[in-house]
């Protein structure tokens, strides 16, 4: 572990800064639509599907912008790119308050998509990679420990702000936090140094292996694995609690079950931070996906009850917490630290695009087929991700 002074005066200050700004960015942009978009739809006479489609358009735009963001972080640094992302997010949230025309609404969400591409985990990981180089894995894990509390903080705060200041006032307040807190933290407190990595160094805790080129079959398998997995949390976050409710679990219990997800994420990340440093991140990813598939199998065999739903939420949360770490650690271990920002941007593109389409596809399956079919589809994507990670091992 670094000395305490390194968190103030050294490179590890980046983890503290990004820990705060990730909570703000996720809380202001990513987690608010589930509470605010239905209010926007009701006020403006739009369907929920169209209003939530704006959020999907934002995620799709984020996927398109991610490669450019990654290259820019490699070149200019996170203190520049993530500052722009925070300011763009602030502008987008203010514009969302006034975007009453449907076209304007979609365009504003595209602006917010650029902000997500430059402000969420992928640019934060790329920033850490630029600073720490081959020693980025533990800073990534430490950052995700803080980021895991974003939903825990955001949803109660957003609910309280809506009650006190309406959804419009809530977005204005969040815009002010991004502009006056997140942007200055990025601009003035993120370390500017760049890690100089000798070719011989390897990520900490990893046995020396040949670094693979960031293209060809190995890259395709990594990108496919993470993109396939992206379908699962995006689709389930939009539909899982409703599925539990339709299965006969009362609404209050469903909310309590959903609240287990965040602590499970953080708990799994804390275990990885404490005990997992000597494991190759591919094994972390494989283990997480195996746990998730076991959770789906449990629901298929035992059916829906309060206990099985709660256990599923914990297993799903723990698996997602580990996969988030793997998203930063697997590319580093396989392809090395050189050009890490560009690499993360290329991987983030398909991941974010899949996040955008998953809720819509899941909604179609729920409406046209049934809830178990939708869960089976999510499980199939998790299985595909696991297969990709297994094949990658054979190519090391």
């Amino acid at each position: 572990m670094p000395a305490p002074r390194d968190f103030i005066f050294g490179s590890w200050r980046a983890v503290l800064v990004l820990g705060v700004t990730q909570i703000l960015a996720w809380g202001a942009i990513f987690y608010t639509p589930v509470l605010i978009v239905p209010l926007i739809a009701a006020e403006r006479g739009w369907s929920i599907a169209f209003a939530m489609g704006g959020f999907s358009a934002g995620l799709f735009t984020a996927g398109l912008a991610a490669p450019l963001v990654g290259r820019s972080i490699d070149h200019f640094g996170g203190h520049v790119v993530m500052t722009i992302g925070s300011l763009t997010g602030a502008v987008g949230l203010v514009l969302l308050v006034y975007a009453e025309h449907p076209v304007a609404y979609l365009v504003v969400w595209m602006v917010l998509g650029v902000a997500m591409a430059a402000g969420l985990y992928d640019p934060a990981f790329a920033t850490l990679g630029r600073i720490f180089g081959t020693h980025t894995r533990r800073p990534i894990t430490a950052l995700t420990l803080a980021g895991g509390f974003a939903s825990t903080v955001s949803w109660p705060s957003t609910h309280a702000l809506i009650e006190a200041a309406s959804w419009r006032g809530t977005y204005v307040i969040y815009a002010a936090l991004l502009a006056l807190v997140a942007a200055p933290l990025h601009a003035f407190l993120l370390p500017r140094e760049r890690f100089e990595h000798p070719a011989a160094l390897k990520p900490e805790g990893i046995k020396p292996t040949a670094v693979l080129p960031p293209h060809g079959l190995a890259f395709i398998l990594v990108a496919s694995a993470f993109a396939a997995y992206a379908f699962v949390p995006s689709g389930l976050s939009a539909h899982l609690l409703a599925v539990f409710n339709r299965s006969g679990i009362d609404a209050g219990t469903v909310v309590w079950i959903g609240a287990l997800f965040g602590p499970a994420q953080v708990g799994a990340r804390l275990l990885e931070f404490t005990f997992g440093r000597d494991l190759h991140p591919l094994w972390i990813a494989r283990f997480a996906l195996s746990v998730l598939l076991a959770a789906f199998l449990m629901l298929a065999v035992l059916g829906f009850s309060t206990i099985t739903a709660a256990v599923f939420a914990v297993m799903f949360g723990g698996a997602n917490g580990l996969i988030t770490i793997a998203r930063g650690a697997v590319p580093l271990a396989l392809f090395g630290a050189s050009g890490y920002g560009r690499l993360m941007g290329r991987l983030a593109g398909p991941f974010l695009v899949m996040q955008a389409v998953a809720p819509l596809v899941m909604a179609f399956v729920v409406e046209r087929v049934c809830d178990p079919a939708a869960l089976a589809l999510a499980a199939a994507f998790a299985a595909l991700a696991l297969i990709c990670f297994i094949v990658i091992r054979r190519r090391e």
Side-chain angles (χ1 to χ4, degrees):
M1 283 296 292
R5 69 184 308 276
D6 289 337
F7 285 95
I8 305 298
F9 303 106
S11 299
W12 276 78
R13 183 175 72 247
V15 176
L16 289 182
V17 170
L18 292 172
V20 173
T21 60
Q22 285 295 286
I23 290 174
L24 291 176
W26 284 92
I29 302 175
F30 192 88
Y31 287 121
T32 51
V34 69
L35 296 176
I36 291 182
V37 162
L39 302 179
I40 295 176
E43 181 178 305
R44 293 174 178 168
W46 300 336
S47 68
I48 294 289
F50 171 79
M52 195 59 75
F55 181 53
S56 292
L59 289 171
F60 187 83
T61 303
L64 298 179
L68 175 60
V69 169
R71 292 195 300 270
S72 299
I73 289 176
D74 270 347
H75 187 68
F76 299 107
H79 63 284
V80 174
V81 178
M82 297 192 74
T83 299
I84 295 172
S86 295
L87 294 174
T88 303
V91 171
L93 292 179
V94 172
L95 291 177
L96 203 58
V97 172
Y98 300 100
E100 299 189 358
H101 192 279
V103 174
Y105 176 78
L106 294 177
V107 170
V108 170
W109 267 113
M110 293 177 185
V111 172
L112 287 169
V114 174
M116 286 189 280
L120 299 183
Y121 270 142
D122 295 298
F125 292 166
T127 298
L128 292 176
R130 190 177 191 270
I131 295 169
F132 291 94
T134 52
H135 304 288
T136 305
R137 178 173 171 180
R138 286 176 71 76
I140 284 176
T141 304
L143 174 61
T144 61
L145 287 174
F149 289 106
S151 61
T152 305
V153 172
S154 173
W155 285 330
S157 299
T158 300
H159 179 75
L161 286 172
I162 290 172
E163 292 291 321
S166 79
W167 71 265
R168 294 174 184 270
T170 299
Y171 268 152
V172 170
I173 291 170
Y174 282 149
L177 288 173
L178 290 178
L180 301 179
V181 179
L185 285 175
H186 287 147
F188 301 116
L189 291 183
L190 269 181
R192 281 148 169 74
E193 63 259 31
R194 185 170 193 162
F195 184 84
E196 298 296 333
H197 48 86
L201 288 180
K202 302 298 171 189
E204 57 180 277
I206 306 301
K207 295 180 179 180
T209 58
V211 174
L212 300 175
H215 53 75
L217 180 60
F219 177 82
I220 292 172
L221 287 171
V222 172
S224 299
F226 286 120
Y229 177 74
F231 184 95
V232 183
S234 182
L236 292 185
S237 65
H239 297 282
L240 183 61
L241 298 188
V243 169
F244 286 160
N245 189 226
R246 288 193 293 269
S247 72
I249 303 173
D250 67 89
T253 304
V254 165
V255 171
W256 173 79
I257 291 171
L260 297 174
F261 181 80
Q265 283 194 116
V266 175
R269 291 166 182 170
L270 185 59
L271 289 174
E272 196 280 341
F273 187 80
T274 306
F275 303 109
R277 62 177 299 174
D278 293 329
L279 289 175
H280 195 291
L282 276 175
W283 284 110
I284 298 293
R286 283 198 211 102
F287 173 76
L289 288 167
S290 298
V291 169
L292 181 57
L293 288 172
F296 280 114
L297 181 62
M298 177 196 65
L299 283 183
V301 172
L302 301 180
F304 295 95
S305 68
T306 300
I307 294 176
T308 57
V311 172
F312 182 90
V314 171
M315 296 174 73
F316 173 34
N320 191 67
L322 294 177
I323 290 292
T324 303
I325 296 170
R327 280 179 59 199
V330 166
L332 181 69
L334 293 181
F335 306 115
S338 179
Y340 182 68
R342 180 174 182 270
L343 176 65
M344 289 303 297
R346 291 168 61 204
L347 292 172
F351 185 94
L352 290 165
V353 170
M354 187 66 83
Q355 271 194 326
V357 304
L360 305 179
V361 173
M362 287 280 284
F364 178 84
V365 175
V366 166
E367 292 175 0
R368 299 299 179 90
V369 189
C370 61
D371 288 340
L375 293 178
L377 179 62
F381 275 100
L384 176 60
L386 178 58
I387 291 170
C388 289
F389 281 128
I390 291 172
V391 174
I392 293 167
R393 185 63 178 178
R394 296 172 182 169
R395 298 276 174 176
E396 285 183 32

